[in-house]
Amino acid sequence: MPSPQPCSTSSPSSPSSAWPRLRRLSRPRGAIMHTIPYEGVRSLSQFLSGAAMKEVERLEAKYNNGKPFPPVGARELPQGRPMGE
C-alpha cells in the first residue's frame, strides 16, 4: 500500500475557503476504505458521527462530570465567523 501523500491546502481552480476542509476528508475516506472489513464502518457519515460522539463523551467527562450537556438546537450555535477574524 502506498504511503499517504500530504493534502494540498489550496486549489487554483477553487477560491472557496471550504476547499482545504474538503481535501482533508480524503484521509478519513482512506481510513474507512481500508478498514471496512475490520471496523464495519461503510460511510463517511457513519465514521464522522462515531468520532463526534467519542469527542462529546470526552468533553462531558471533562467538563460536566460525565453527564450529557443540555441539548442545543442547530440554530442556537453561533453562526459565521467571530468578530475580528
Side-chain angles (χ1 to χ4, degrees):
M1 191 180 314
S3 62
Q5 298 298 313
C7 291
S8 170
T9 59
S10 64
S11 167
S13 63
S14 176
S16 170
S17 63
W19 178 257
R21 290 182 297 239
L22 294 174
R23 288 284 299 222
R24 284 192 294 251
L25 290 178
S26 65
R27 191 168 170 195
R29 283 189 201 104
I32 293 163
M33 179 63 88
H34 294 285
T35 62
I36 287 172
Y38 313 108
E39 297 292 325
V41 175
R42 301 187 60 84
S43 71
L44 185 59
S45 177
Q46 183 183 9
F47 180 85
L48 295 176
S49 178
M53 286 309 299
K54 286 178 185 173
E55 180 64 2
V56 166
E57 290 167 358
R58 183 190 74 79
L59 293 171
E60 288 171 341
K62 185 173 181 176
Y63 296 106
N64 205 35
N65 297 320
K67 298 176 186 166
F69 289 110
V72 174
R75 294 289 180 187
E76 295 178 58
L77 287 175
Q79 302 291 308
R81 291 183 178 174
M83 297 288 285
E85 273 193 26

